[in-house]
Amino acid sequence: MTDRAHVSTDSLEDALLPWLPQQRWFAAKGSPIASLRVASRVDVGSRSDVQVEHLLVDVELGDGTVQRYQVPLGFRDAAVDDLAAWRLPIQDGPFVYDGLRDPTVIALYSDAIAAADSIGPLDFRLVAGAAVDAGMSGRVLGAEQSNTSVILGEVLLLKLFRQVASGINPDIELHRVLAETDCTYVAPLRAWIETESDGELSMLGMAQDFASDSAEGWTTALTSVRDLLASDRSPEDMDSDFAPEARGLGAAVAHVHADLARGLGTDERDASSTVAEILGRVEGAVAVVPELAEHLPSARDLVARAEAGGTATVQRIHGDLHLGQVLRTPSTWLLIDFEGEPAKSLEERRRMDSPLRDVAGMLRSFDYAAHHLLLGDADVTDETYARASAWAARNSSAFCDGYAEVAGYDPRDHAALLGAYELDKAVYEAVYEARNRPTWLDLPMRAVGRLAPPVRG
Ligand code: ATP
Ligand code: MG
């Protein structure tokens, strides 16, 4: 059996320094690491010929910010070919690797969840009334994103957060509330993992039902757009017309909003503070996208109209809603990933906001889905572009119809505030595209032009 004591924390730190930046989920790619420290190292036990340790690793970047990462490690005496890609560069020691890639390590986590165990400072918690089977095997879900998701026994999806912040994780928090309201438009939360160090709580992962037979909203929407652009029929005659789906999605989002309001309350907020922030961001973005300057007068008008609307009802919302955050199962739509916008702090992500922000996020996503396939194609005719735009308009409208049926108000009745949220998002996209994909800049800029028409003078 491996003697982990032979691997000092110093050697682990030396090995993690080149290894971490190569991991897909490492958020600070390209920023030099000033220092790296193992903040916590816990023995999680052993199974077969593997020993498992749970590490929290603090990475200090050049600008002084510190990011904390969760890194479960497996230790074996002998190398295993299937795990070689995740090996830490440690010379003359045991074979050390990313434990979440090893089904044996996952089985250990899975059993700890089933037993609602505490292992050292790690607390595995079951949602009241939930039962999780022991002995489930696991496999990592497809392409790794900002977190690592593991499917357990084809029934649960265990998402381990890679970047860990102290405080309450909104994904777990909101899923717990939605479990209490029996919301059927999310995959029910069954368990989560948390830890306390230096009196501060951090949440490390969550397990919810795995919707095995589901398709991502983005994929379903793109199929519909592709079919429409390849045909000369009108959308309502197409088998893959998305409008009934968009309507159902609008209803699902409204149900989730109603449940979040019921579970965590609402508040009234003066719209002026929200729109002032939006205007500030639009003005700030001119430095990156100079073309935005001619839209500023109309943006100020839009914001003034939103402000004239008086107070806005705010509540907890999804915070980062788009077609990639919804799954279509054979029977319903599910909203996933309530973490909020990754770039914001935990505190900002937990702030109440208008549900119109989520609606605006989805409308922007329809616009992206519609025109995505045409980007970078120099031969696109005006007619094709118009067909794509009509797809976006049709589905935005169906989404709002579905939302209105459940919410009892139509988001379009708050046109100025909704428009201000759409503008906020479109300007964020414009900054992103200008920096990363300049040939795509036209897409958000057309939306900016619609929401805040240019004033040339
Ligand atoms: P990202 O970095 O893209 O935000 P993430 O690490 O935060 O990803 P999620 O967005 O929660 O993880 O989920 C990633 C993918 O896993 C989703 O796009 C979806 O395809 C799939 N997925 C998430 N939850 C479920 C579920 N309950 N059932 C089935 N598939 C799911
Ligand atoms: Mg996410």
Side-chain angles (χ1 to χ4, degrees):
M1 176 60 74
T2 301
D3 184 3
R4 284 175 307 105
H6 284 153
V7 184
S8 67
T9 301
D10 280 352
S11 339
L12 281 180
E13 288 173 344
D14 289 347
L16 285 163
L17 194 61
W19 183 86
L20 268 187
Q22 289 167 11
Q23 305 312 304
R24 211 182 138 134
W25 37 263
F26 184 73
K29 292 222 171 58
S31 324
I33 296 179
S35 69
L36 180 151
R37 189 177 73 89
V38 171
S40 123
R41 184 177 177 187
V42 177
D43 187 355
V44 187
S46 61
R47 177 175 287 219
S48 320
D49 43 3
V50 189
Q51 281 193 288
V52 185
E53 286 197 22
H54 183 274
L55 266 60
L56 291 175
V57 181
D58 285 346
V59 174
E60 193 195 340
L61 302 174
D63 63 2
T65 54
V66 177
Q67 296 181 341
R68 174 165 286 190
Y69 287 94
Q70 170 171 216
V71 188
L73 292 178
F75 293 71
R76 288 172 180 263
D77 286 331
V80 174
D81 283 352
D82 284 355
L83 299 169
W86 290 281
R87 169 179 212 156
L88 264 71
I90 293 177
Q91 313 302 328
D92 308 324
F95 176 66
V96 186
Y97 56 95
D98 180 1
L100 296 181
R101 292 286 163 175
D102 183 350
T104 309
V105 177
I106 290 169
L108 204 139
Y109 269 73
S110 172
D111 286 352
I113 291 172
D117 244 348
S118 286
I119 302 175
L122 301 187
D123 293 316
F124 296 79
R125 306 249 191 241
L126 284 173
V127 169
V132 170
D133 288 340
M136 283 195 287
S137 61
R139 63 181 169 95
V140 171
L141 178 79
E144 220 166 29
Q145 308 278 336
S146 38
N147 300 297
T148 300
S149 293
V150 178
I151 302 165
L152 301 178
E154 301 301 314
V155 295
L156 284 187
L157 187 89
L158 171 64
K159 171 154 119 174
L160 272 302
F161 306 130
R162 286 303 192 158
Q163 227 184 304
V164 176
S166 56
I168 293 174
N169 176 286
D171 209 1
I172 296 178
E173 178 189 25
L174 298 187
H175 270 101
R176 283 182 71 185
V177 169
L178 293 168
E180 278 159 22
T181 60
D182 289 323
C183 181
T184 53
Y185 301 94
V186 292
L189 181 76
R190 303 298 180 193
W192 75 96
I193 310 170
E194 62 185 33
T195 189
E196 212 183 290
S197 69
D198 304 331
E200 285 209 77
L201 179 80
S202 302
M203 295 182 156
L204 302 174
M206 58 189 266
Q208 60 187 145
D209 283 4
F210 176 57
S212 58
D213 198 8
S214 64
E216 236 180 69
W218 175 254
T219 314
T220 318
L222 278 197
T223 305
S224 166
V225 176
R226 193 175 289 116
D227 285 358
L228 183 69
L229 296 183
S231 143
D232 51 13
R233 285 185 289 159
S234 45
E236 56 273 26
D237 297 333
M238 308 286 299
D239 287 343
S240 58
D241 179 23
F242 196 73
E245 294 297 341
R247 193 183 184 104
L249 185 54
V253 172
H255 277 293
V256 169
H257 282 162
D259 281 354
L260 288 176
R262 202 145 54 89
L264 291 166
T266 61
D267 203 356
E268 295 297 318
R269 191 187 292 159
D270 200 347
S272 60
S273 59
T274 303
V275 292
E277 278 177 28
I278 294 177
L279 191 58
R281 281 193 286 268
V282 177
E283 287 168 345
V286 175
V288 185
V289 189
E291 300 93 306
L292 284 170
E294 63 187 24
H295 299 274
L296 282 180
S298 309
R300 291 191 186 107
D301 274 359
L302 176 66
V303 157
R305 274 184 281 129
E307 214 168 6
T311 59
T313 304
V314 291
Q315 60 162 90
R316 294 298 299 279
I317 60 169
H318 181 284
D320 185 26
L321 197 61
H322 55 79
L323 284 162
Q325 306 276 42
V326 292
L327 298 177
R328 181 70 165 100
T329 74
S331 56
T332 190
W333 280 103
L334 300 177
L335 275 60
I336 57 168
D337 194 5
F338 286 70
E339 273 191 290
E341 261 182 59
K344 292 187 175 164
S345 71
L346 211 58
E347 198 182 314
E348 286 173 310
R349 291 192 250 151
R350 294 185 60 223
R351 260 181 20 187
M352 287 190 177
D353 201 343
S354 165
L356 293 174
R357 186 183 286 286
D358 281 347
V359 173
M362 197 53 89
L363 301 187
R364 293 299 312 130
S365 196
F366 285 133
D367 195 31
Y368 258 76
H371 300 104
H372 174 86
L373 299 163
L374 306 177
L375 287 165
D377 180 351
D379 301 329
V380 175
T381 62
D382 286 350
E383 197 197 339
T384 304
Y385 205 93
R387 254 175 106 66
S389 301
W391 184 96
R394 174 178 172 77
N395 290 295
S396 296
S397 160
F399 178 87
C400 290
D401 289 344
Y403 191 96
E405 261 168 38
V406 173
Y409 74 92
D410 192 319
R412 290 164 294 193
D413 291 345
H414 303 269
L417 190 54
L418 179 61
Y421 279 117
E422 283 182 84
L423 181 66
D424 196 20
K425 187 83 192 173
V427 166
Y428 169 89
E429 293 158 1
V431 168
Y432 177 86
E433 302 300 8
R435 286 190 173 138
N436 299 290
R437 304 183 292 197
T439 55
W440 287 42
L441 180 59
D442 181 53
L443 198 166
M445 283 308 290
R446 285 195 196 220
V448 170
R450 178 174 53 78
L451 295 159
V455 177
R456 298 187 174 97

